[in-house]
Structures are given as C-alpha cells and as structure tokens.
Amino acid sequence: MAKFVYIIGTADTKLEELLWLKSCLRSARVDSHIIDVSTGSSNAFHENNQVDINTTQIAAYHPDGIDAVFCGERGRAVTAMSVALTYFLQNTVDDISGLLGIGGSGGTALITSAMQAMPIGIPKLMVSTMASGNVGGYVGGVDIAMLYTVTDLSGLNYLSRTILANAANMIAGAVNNAVEYNHARKPVLGLTMFGVTTPCINQLIASLGEEFDPLVFHATGNGGTSMERLVENREIVGVLDITLTEAADLLFGGVLACPETRLDCIAQTQTPWVGSAGALDMINFSGRDSIPERYAHRQFVEHNAQVTLMRTTPEENYQLGVWIGNKLNHCNGPVRFIIPEGGFSALDAPGQPFFDPQARQAFAEGLESTVTQTAQRQIIKTPHHINAPEFSSLVIAQFQDVMQHQRTVHDSTPGKSL
C-alpha cells in the first residue's frame, strides 16, 4: 500500500508554498498529498487539482460535523479545524510516511496540535514563522522538528524557495531512510534526570540496564510529559521519577515548568512508580535579566549564560511537598516516594551553594502532612544524598518491591499478564 507525506497548510494563503513543497518532494522521489486546512469552505483549489484533500473533507472529521469548523469565527474555526485534522490523521495513520506543515502563528498552532497526537517515530517537520521563539507549546512531548522560515510565508522568493526546498529534503531524507520502529525486547523503564542528578541516574541504569531498556527523560519542561505519554501508551512498565524539578518551575514561575497534569497518568494507569525530590532545590530561569523583580533578592547560581538557577526557600519546599502529596493521594497503584535527607541535587550538598537542611526538612513536612500512607503508597526517608550509591541502592530495592507487587496483582487477576 502506498504511503504519503502529508503536506499541510492553508491553501487560501499559502498555495504557492504548498505546491513548491510538493514539487520538491517529487524531485526527491517521495509521494505526497497536499491537505488544505483553510477555515473558509471554498474548495476551488481542490476542483482545480491544486490540493489533494480539501478543507471540507478534513472538516467532516470533526465530531460535531463541518459546521463546527465553518462557524464564521476565526479563533473557534482554527481550533475546530485542528480537532478535525487530528481525527483525520488518526484515521489515516497507516497511510502516513511523514508530516510536513507550514504556517504562521495560527497555522502552526493548528497543525502541530494534530501532529502531537501522532505516534512517536513518524517524521514530523513544521516550517514556521514561530520557530525562533519558545516552541515548547508546539512541540509538546513528541518528536516534532521546527524550522524557522526567516522571512514571512507570503509567496515564493529566492530565500523561501531555498528554505522550503531544504524542508522537503529533510522530510524526504527521513522517509527514504526510514528505520523500522520496533518495540523494545526488554521491558521499558522511564527515568527523569537533570544535570545535577546525573550520577544517581547513571547508577540506576548501570544496575537495571540488563533487565530493562532504560529511557532517560531530561526534566526540561516537556521531559516528564514525554515520558508520561509513553506511560499512557503502555510502552513503559515502570517509572523512576527521581527528578521532579519541573514541578518547582510550575509552582513558582520558572521556565521549565511541567503541565498541571503531571503525575496524573501514574494515578490513571497505576504504573509502578518510585519518585524523589531531585532538583527541587532550584527554579530555572534564562539569563539573569529574565529574573522577575520579585525575586531580585534571592540566591542564584549562573549555570551558563542562558540558564540561571534560583534556590527554593523552605516555604516553597513545603508547598512542593503538599503539591506532590496531593498528586500521590490519587495513586492507588504501587508508589514510593524517597526523601534524600542528605541533599536534593549536586548543588544541595555540604560546601555547595544550595545546601539547606531547613528547606529539605520543610519539604518533608509538607509531603508527610499531606500524603495518606497505605501499603501501596509510602514515604521513605534516607539520610543519604540523592547522588550517593546508598540512595540508588534504596531506589532499586523499592522499585523491585513495587514491580513485584504489580506482578502479584496481575498474576492473581484472570487473563492478566505482564
């Protein structure tokens, strides 16, 4: 069965660019279809054989029908078209060899939202005027590549032809040299890491790597989200959520914030989970000039010219304990939270700038006062630092315990197996 790269854009404003991309892909020996996601209902481009899948065909995939898309209000129409495109792509996923989108701010939001619903491994490239800024919202937790247009997408010129041709060749390279996406032979383990918790994660991988296929997620805002997407898809059998620093950014305005839904999928899926307070001693900002005025008096470490770390206070650590505790209270599967009383990161150690036993104690108080502990849901304290070998050994022991409990539950349920 033939597969196609879907070239997605608004033909009412970017038809020249869409046709140019299709011609470039043809030169690269890649079959493609142009999808029009204009929110006007005209299908003249389709009737003239300029687009392959017209806007009405896409709109018909909206659960509420085409009238939900062609509603006459641009903002609502764009959002509805994105929903319709998502349903269309999900229903034709077996026909897709790659996704190539072009757009300005509205088109980028429309197209990437649908791309995020596609399986990881399908090549996805978004050519966008928005690609030089913060693209976290567009990329989400999946493998979307962003290419900046430099100029606006307003007709073809020598520069736009070059950039769009490069985009076509990028997606062609991925399609023509596709690697089969095979599920791991070993059960997959998810781990969260930051630079300041790397020694801990390396020790865990060294001990568990023979039995599990470890996937490490950088806790930079979308790292935890990416991991949880795979948890929801049942591709990850257990989680070592050692580095929850994204929660500190969420609560206190840092630039690497997780969504409010972080940890919800652990409760929903009852995936075996061992967590800790990795890098909760810090909130992440960009350069020093990005620090909000209300934080001017605080303690900072300049990690590099683009990253400034701010020490969390005891009050903030208490709030973090309460926030995490409330999340854990919704978890009825096997979960363990280990508090490393010796320090939460490489910077929270004797002689280091973020060493603060009072802040760590405040976190423990917030967590313990919130969590309702059960046989399944437990808080464990250790005097060791998070990067100490003794801490890693404890994590492994607790992980083996929650995995064994999960196996016992599955073995006792008819028809269930791991």
Side-chain angles (χ1 to χ4, degrees):
M1 182 179 296
K3 289 195 173 189
F4 302 88
V5 168
Y6 283 146
I7 309 170
I8 311 169
T10 51
D12 58 351
T13 60
K14 296 175 175 61
L15 182 59
E16 278 190 282
E17 293 91 334
L18 293 167
L19 292 171
W20 174 248
L21 284 168
K22 185 167 185 174
S23 70
C24 292
L25 284 172
R26 187 181 303 115
S27 298
R29 305 181 309 282
V30 172
D31 293 327
S32 63
H33 283 336
I34 293 176
I35 296 178
D36 182 13
V37 289
S38 306
T39 51
S41 59
S42 172
N43 292 313
F45 307 118
H46 180 64
E47 293 164 1
N48 294 332
N49 297 318
Q50 294 173 299
V51 303
D52 302 289
I53 303 170
N54 67 44
T55 183
T56 300
Q57 288 173 298
I58 298 299
Y61 277 83
H62 195 285
D64 297 327
I66 64 173
D67 289 341
V69 177
F70 305 127
C71 60
E73 184 181 324
R74 185 177 185 277
R76 285 173 53 203
V78 168
T79 300
M81 181 61 86
S82 183
V83 172
L85 177 62
T86 300
Y87 276 94
F88 170 82
L89 294 177
Q90 288 175 333
N91 277 274
T92 60
V93 66
D94 291 339
D95 301 330
I96 299 172
S97 60
L99 298 171
L100 175 56
I102 59 170
S105 58
T108 301
L110 188 164
I111 296 165
T112 57
S113 179
M115 284 181 171
Q116 288 180 26
M118 291 295 96
I120 292 172
I122 292 177
K124 309 169 189 70
L125 175 60
M126 184 70 213
V127 185
S128 171
T129 60
M130 306 299 291
S132 67
N134 182 354
V135 299
Y138 302 127
V139 174
V142 301
D143 52 340
I144 297 173
M146 302 283 293
L147 178 63
Y148 183 46
T149 60
V150 182
T151 63
D152 201 353
L153 290 168
S154 184
L156 292 174
N157 53 59
Y158 84 93
L159 190 57
S160 64
R161 281 189 178 91
T162 301
I163 291 172
L164 292 173
N166 286 341
N169 287 327
M170 289 175 189
I171 205 78
V175 169
N176 289 330
N177 299 280
V179 176
E180 190 68 26
Y181 178 53
N182 294 318
H183 290 286
R185 295 180 180 178
K186 295 186 288 187
V188 178
L189 175 64
L191 307 95
T192 51
M193 184 179 79
F194 221 39
V196 290
T197 60
T198 298
C200 172
I201 302 305
N202 286 343
Q203 293 170 58
L204 296 175
I205 292 172
S207 297
L208 296 170
E210 289 295 320
E211 182 180 358
F212 295 92
D213 189 7
L215 302 186
V216 180
F217 298 85
H218 200 185
T220 55
N222 280 322
T225 302
S226 299
M227 179 182 69
E228 291 184 347
R229 178 186 174 96
L230 295 175
V231 170
E232 290 171 349
N233 292 342
R234 307 289 179 170
E235 294 188 49
I236 288 179
V237 301
V239 174
L240 297 181
D241 219 343
I242 303 304
T243 311
L244 284 167
T245 187
E246 295 165 327
D249 284 35
L250 170 67
L251 296 189
F252 308 115
V255 298
L256 303 181
C258 61
E260 181 65 39
T261 55
R262 182 75 161 89
L263 296 178
D264 289 352
C265 85
I266 303 301
Q268 293 160 3
T269 62
Q270 299 191 29
T271 300
W273 183 92
V274 177
S276 190
L280 291 184
D281 54 319
M282 60 190 66
I283 301 165
N284 297 269
F285 294 101
S286 301
R288 283 299 290 263
D289 58 355
S290 71
I291 307 297
E293 182 62 31
R294 68 183 185 277
Y295 290 144
H297 65 287
R298 297 284 291 274
Q299 181 183 8
F300 299 97
V301 167
E302 291 191 32
H303 184 62
N304 56 48
Q306 303 300 323
V307 177
T308 304
L309 311 175
M310 182 176 77
R311 205 336 168 169
T312 48
T313 64
E315 293 76 18
E316 289 165 346
N317 273 261
Y318 185 89
Q319 293 178 58
L320 283 164
V322 170
W323 188 87
I324 293 171
N326 283 323
K327 291 287 185 175
L328 295 183
N329 280 339
H330 289 93
C331 296
N332 294 317
V335 296
R336 305 286 186 271
F337 195 98
I338 305 176
I339 302 175
E341 295 178 310
F344 292 177
S345 83
L347 294 178
D348 181 21
Q352 296 301 313
F354 284 175
F355 185 68
D356 189 343
Q358 184 181 359
R360 296 195 296 275
Q361 179 59 32
F363 173 80
E365 291 172 359
L367 187 70
E368 290 178 301
S369 66
T370 304
V371 172
T372 301
Q373 296 197 59
T374 67
Q376 290 276 67
R377 184 189 311 121
Q378 297 178 23
I379 298 171
I380 299 161
K381 291 182 177 180
T382 175
H384 300 291
H385 188 274
I386 197 166
N387 288 329
E390 295 86 352
F391 176 82
S392 297
S393 296
L394 178 59
V395 170
I396 292 167
Q398 292 301 317
F399 180 66
Q400 290 170 340
D401 182 55
V402 296
M403 290 298 292
Q404 181 58 44
H405 178 88
Q406 192 76 340
R407 292 189 184 98
T408 301
V409 170
H410 278 259
D411 289 345
S412 63
T413 303
K416 296 288 186 180
S417 62
L418 282 178

